[in-house]
Amino acid sequence: MSTEPPETAEDAEEPGTPAEGAQVSEGAQMSEAEAELAAQRVERERIERRKAEREAPIEAGRKLSGTAADLLAAVRAVESGEKPAATVFEEAGTAPRRPAPEPVRRAPEAAPGPVVPAAGAVEDVRGVLVQGGAPEGLAVQAAGVFGDGGADVLRADPWQLLRVPGVRPEQADGFARALLGAGAGPDDERRGRAVTVWLLEQAALVGHTVLEMAALVAALGRQGVPEPEEAVQNAVSEGDVLVFQDTVGEAGDAGEDEERPVRVLVGLERYALAEESLADGLARLVNSVTGRDGAGEEWERAAASAAGSAAELIRAAAGHGLVLHTGGEASLADPAALVSAARGMGLRVWAAAHGPVGRARFAGLVEGAGVATVAGLLSGAEGPGRDADGALDVDLLVVLDAPQLDVETAALVTESLPDGARLVLAGDPGVLWSVGPGRVFADLLAARVCPQIASRRPDPGPLGELVSGIGVGELNQVAAPGKEVVIVPVRDAGEAVHRTVQLVVDSVPRAIGVPVEETQVITPGHGGAVGTRALNAALKERLNPGPGRFGGFDPGDRVAYSPAPGRTLPGRVVRADGEGLHLECGGEEVVVPRERVESSVRHGWALTAHQAVGCRWPAVVAVLPGDAVQALSRSWVYTAFSRADRHLSVVHGVEQALPRAVAEVTAKPRTTRLPVLLAPQVPTAEG
């Protein structure tokens, strides 16, 4: 049974197909990732308590409310014979959402330590796993998921093994047959419920916060569930999933006597709570009255002293609680001007970037201002800290790399802002979306609920011209007198690897003057003959050969460290000792416990585009092997090519598939509810 952890969202498969799950090992002491996740757990618990206070408890299916509760009642009517099953999902009439309430904050609590399962619980689970033919190595992970009663849970419902990241339905089926014998059939309702939840988790890996009922039913059918609609009903009645009915179209689209069409959506409580909390938090910001600080004249003077889109951004932030800013790398000058202006007015201002590389780049533009990473801001490791009510101690927060915000992170950011604070979300809409579920920045741009300022600062030079064209679907040939862009055609995978190594080791340093350590290789995926694994192996052999005596790594190796899903920190191995593997990432020392090295550290001479988001290098070698055609899209090409500051080499083996991907292959749609949740709370912005 394979339980290899996932690479990024680029490697996650569509709902209904096997996909690898995340794998997190437990450390003997709290790591950076565990501290961050623990802080997020505290914040989610607070959000959930606030949600619970707004609804009276429901005796059975108590996690449901509104339309979902109505559908649960319909399910029970079918089960009791009072109503035919065909009518269950035809009920209409979504209850209107209430205006966003004032957030109920508490003083921040100390983050709890990592959850380490008791030794007895691990041994009990290991015994059940062995009995069912599952790998013993899953015992610690399974015990962490199920707690002290994990063995009893698995005996009563073997398909609950699907809750352990990395386990697939066919593997859980084998486990169930070993434990239950002939009674473990595909029509077992326990299997249907577990596969329903598993499919929604797989959907989250590729960005969906919910799935349409029809899509979920079809995916269940592909997994061999004989009565997929009944499986969804069972999952709803047990509170495993939530059901929503969202109206389609504008209020005036239907006639007076016509009912507006609805779509039935199914999702997990975790993402439903996050998306509702995010909508409430954004509505609170949009509807807040700004300008009460009496600094209107100061804002106007600051705007007058700026120019172009920077002045527009300052004016927008002066009068609104939420502002969106779009543009490429050069456009960072606009939020930098805003931060400097607000700081000059005595406001408490912080900016947050996706990772330490972005943090360092923006810090160079705003002397003296506070710049953190989003993760560090939320965990408390960086930033201004929190006030007595548990809110961030800021008047203005500028979040860079906004397309990388998934719904959970975005919800934590908005819920952490005090009343009257301003939030500016800035980013390049052309790059790949977040690894986690949701498309927050794109949804907000489409919803038009707040001012949107498009930067008029184009990225300069041939690289800027090339990337700008890709952003609008055109792959233009650009003049590159200084060899800013070089195309290297290749015929096969072997030649692609050879030419990539040659470029990094010799050609780029010699012809362009960029040293090896400042050149980054970007390729579509981890697997295959020209994936990150193959390229990193070849580059390590040339640049830092060694036995890999520290879990496959040697001092001097370039690495990509993932402290949490969706976050990648480029770094370098320093040494290893009893504490674990010591890395240098963005100028900071990071210690990765020995048991987490395999799941969270990879060689980093070659990265995927998702891993590279939020970073820039003087030189980039983008590798497009012939077997990468299916992975190419406009956003992938845009992201990979725009990571280069001075030079881009394209190892080109996809022929006409590249211009076709740029012109025709847009980002895969994601099913989310954020626009629907915002609509009744926030008026559409003009213009």
Side-chain angles (χ1 to χ4, degrees):
M1 184 183 295
S2 172
T3 57
E4 184 179 356
E7 319 297 2
T8 68
E10 295 167 283
D11 297 316
E13 302 178 20
E14 292 294 340
T17 62
E20 297 171 340
Q23 186 175 12
V24 181
S25 302
E26 302 294 344
Q29 64 184 77
M30 183 178 293
S31 66
E32 175 192 352
E34 288 162 343
E36 176 186 338
L37 292 174
Q40 292 188 9
R41 280 199 301 271
V42 171
E43 190 71 11
R44 288 196 193 99
E45 288 170 3
R46 183 184 61 74
I47 293 171
E48 290 171 11
R49 280 195 294 272
R50 184 169 65 81
K51 295 289 181 183
E53 290 170 359
R54 293 155 52 189
E55 301 284 347
I58 300 172
E59 289 302 322
R62 58 187 179 278
K63 297 178 182 178
L64 307 180
S65 62
T67 301
D70 295 339
L71 289 174
L72 174 54
V75 168
R76 288 176 176 155
V78 171
E79 293 170 342
S80 65
E82 296 174 8
K83 196 178 206 180
T87 66
V88 169
F89 296 106
E90 295 174 0
E91 300 294 327
T94 305
R97 280 178 55 83
R98 294 177 295 277
E102 292 299 319
V104 178
R105 295 193 179 91
R106 299 177 300 105
E109 300 176 1
V115 178
V116 179
V122 173
E123 288 308 311
D124 290 344
V125 169
R126 179 177 286 113
V128 178
L129 293 175
V130 171
Q131 183 182 351
E136 293 185 49
L138 291 177
V140 174
Q141 200 173 1
V145 170
F146 298 115
D148 291 341
D152 294 334
V153 170
L154 290 173
R155 286 193 186 95
D157 184 355
W159 285 283
Q160 288 297 307
L161 191 66
L162 282 172
R163 290 173 55 189
V164 179
V167 177
R168 299 188 294 272
E170 61 269 24
Q171 298 164 336
D173 288 340
F175 180 68
R177 284 193 297 271
L179 290 182
L180 303 178
D187 58 346
D188 193 305
E189 69 173 33
R190 292 171 294 183
R191 180 181 189 271
R193 291 200 309 270
V195 173
T196 298
V197 173
W198 179 82
L199 284 170
L200 291 171
E201 290 284 8
Q202 303 311 298
L205 290 178
V206 293
H208 306 285
T209 59
V210 289
L211 283 181
E212 292 202 24
M213 176 64 75
L216 179 58
V217 166
L220 284 165
R222 290 193 295 271
Q223 291 297 328
V225 177
E227 298 292 340
E229 287 194 17
E230 184 179 343
V232 177
Q233 295 168 11
N234 289 334
V236 172
S237 67
E238 292 295 322
D240 294 332
V241 303
L242 304 179
V243 182
F244 311 93
Q245 280 189 330
D246 290 343
T247 53
V248 179
E250 299 294 332
D253 291 348
E256 291 184 5
D257 298 329
E258 297 179 14
E259 292 185 0
R260 293 173 62 187
V262 299
R263 61 174 185 169
V264 180
L265 303 169
V266 186
L268 299 173
E269 180 192 30
R270 170 183 176 182
Y271 305 121
L273 280 173
E275 208 155 23
E276 289 193 6
S277 178
L278 173 58
D280 289 350
L282 291 170
R284 176 172 59 89
L285 293 172
V286 172
N287 294 326
S288 64
V289 179
T290 57
R292 288 180 175 174
D293 49 17
E297 293 184 0
E298 290 186 77
W299 282 105
E300 184 53 40
R301 282 197 297 271
S305 66
S309 50
E312 295 175 21
L313 180 61
I314 292 171
R315 288 191 177 97
H320 298 85
L322 177 66
V323 178
L324 307 182
H325 177 266
T326 59
E329 183 70 13
S331 73
L332 287 177
D334 292 349
L338 169 63
V339 167
S340 297
R343 185 176 177 82
M345 285 185 272
L347 298 180
R348 299 166 299 172
V349 186
W350 274 80
H354 183 57
V357 175
R359 176 185 61 193
R361 292 177 73 90
F362 193 71
L365 301 176
V366 285
E367 183 177 353
V371 186
T373 63
V374 173
L377 187 76
L378 293 175
S379 68
E382 306 174 59
R386 300 192 179 238
D387 61 23
D389 295 324
L392 291 171
D393 201 11
V394 296
D395 298 308
L396 169 65
L397 176 64
V398 177
V399 177
L400 311 167
D401 306 311
Q404 302 314 302
L405 289 174
D406 59 72
V407 292
E408 292 186 295
T409 303
L412 292 172
V413 169
T414 56
E415 286 286 338
S416 297
L417 289 174
D419 295 338
R422 297 170 171 90
L423 173 64
V424 174
L425 299 178
D428 190 339
V431 300
L432 290 163
W433 292 337
S434 64
V435 172
R439 33 165 278 166
V440 174
F441 196 55
D443 277 345
L444 286 173
L445 288 171
R448 307 195 68 82
V449 296
C450 64
Q452 301 180 15
I453 308 300
S455 176
R456 295 197 294 274
R457 300 175 187 264
D459 288 345
L463 276 169
E465 182 183 350
L466 174 65
V467 171
S468 295
I470 293 171
V472 296
E474 299 175 0
L475 186 64
N476 300 317
Q477 186 173 354
V478 298
K483 296 183 179 180
E484 291 89 351
V485 182
V486 174
I487 308 299
V488 182
V490 293
R491 294 181 296 266
D492 54 37
E495 186 179 5
V497 173
H498 171 73
R499 294 305 300 273
T500 299
V501 174
Q502 184 182 55
L503 284 164
V504 173
V505 175
D506 176 60
S507 301
V508 172
R510 176 172 45 81
I512 310 300
V514 177
V516 172
E517 57 270 18
E518 296 180 3
T519 300
Q520 182 62 54
V521 176
I522 300 177
T523 192
H526 293 289
V530 198
T532 61
R533 295 188 188 97
L535 287 170
N536 277 317
L539 287 163
K540 176 174 171 55
E541 184 178 351
R542 285 292 304 274
L543 295 172
N544 196 41
R549 58 186 180 277
F550 303 135
F553 301 95
D554 295 295
D557 279 356
R558 277 176 68 171
V559 294
Y561 169 50
S562 297
R567 289 183 56 212
T568 298
L569 306 179
R572 188 175 303 276
V573 175
V574 178
R575 67 183 189 280
D577 55 26
E579 291 184 84
L581 194 64
H582 292 250
L583 311 177
E584 185 273 320
C585 298
E588 300 175 357
E589 182 176 350
V590 175
V591 181
V592 184
R594 182 192 306 268
E595 61 272 14
R596 296 195 64 243
V597 169
E598 183 178 359
S599 63
S600 61
V601 183
R602 297 179 179 275
H603 284 107
W605 288 281
L607 303 174
T608 66
H610 257 119
Q611 290 177 313
V613 167
C615 300
R616 302 264 295 194
W617 293 269
V620 165
V621 178
V623 186
L624 309 177
D627 62 357
V629 172
Q630 296 301 316
L632 295 182
S633 66
R634 182 185 305 169
S635 56
W636 191 95
V637 177
Y638 184 96
T639 302
F641 287 15
S642 63
R643 299 308 92 195
D645 271 335
R646 290 172 48 194
H647 171 79
L648 171 69
S649 284
V650 181
V651 178
H652 194 336
V654 292
E655 300 181 348
Q656 292 305 307
L658 178 58
R660 188 162 54 248
V662 170
E664 303 173 7
V665 184
T666 55
K668 291 183 179 179
R670 294 183 174 188
T671 308
T672 67
R673 301 186 66 234
L674 183 58
V676 172
L677 294 170
L678 277 172
Q681 302 189 72
V682 179
T684 302
E686 296 291 334

